[in-house]
Amino acid sequence: ERIFGFFIDDEAMDRVFPKNTLVVVDYGDRRPADGAYALFSVDGAPLVRRWRQTPMRLEPQSESNAYGPVFLDRQPPVIGCVRVSICVY
């Protein structure tokens, strides 16, 4: 009832979620622990990132140096916490 899944294709997260990984999100849990992955609403767009509390930021997990952390003044809206991922080969 409180979960949904989607296939992720985000180069900024390719180290943890390679292309075509099924990511399962619990939208009943909107309180990510420090270091957990969650689906956030950033400027109205959904974005999976690693949540860090101090300093408050969203971290990419990429093989590329093109992506860096997004430092925040306040926590963005959380759509839900990532519970499991399944890589499809």
Side-chain angles (χ1 to χ4, degrees):
E1 296 175 10
R2 303 175 329 162
I3 63 170
F4 67 92
F6 63 94
F7 288 97
I8 192 167
D9 184 7
D10 183 351
E11 189 176 291
M13 295 301 291
D14 64 0
R15 187 180 301 159
V16 238
F17 305 120
K19 185 176 181 174
N20 293 324
T21 296
L22 178 65
V23 175
V24 178
V25 174
D26 179 353
Y27 64 85
D29 182 2
R30 294 191 173 121
R31 301 189 69 163
D34 187 44
Y37 296 97
L39 179 62
F40 298 91
S41 177
V42 178
D43 296 330
L47 188 68
V48 174
R49 290 293 185 269
R50 184 176 184 196
W51 169 249
R52 302 303 294 197
Q53 289 180 309
T54 308
M56 199 178 316
R57 65 194 182 279
L58 301 178
E59 291 182 335
Q61 301 290 306
S62 179
E63 297 294 329
S64 172
N65 292 330
Y67 304 96
V70 176
F71 292 91
L72 305 163
D73 294 330
R74 61 186 169 92
Q75 183 175 345
V78 179
I79 297 169
C81 292
V82 173
R83 287 294 171 237
V84 67
S85 64
I86 302 166
C87 189
V88 179
Y89 294 98

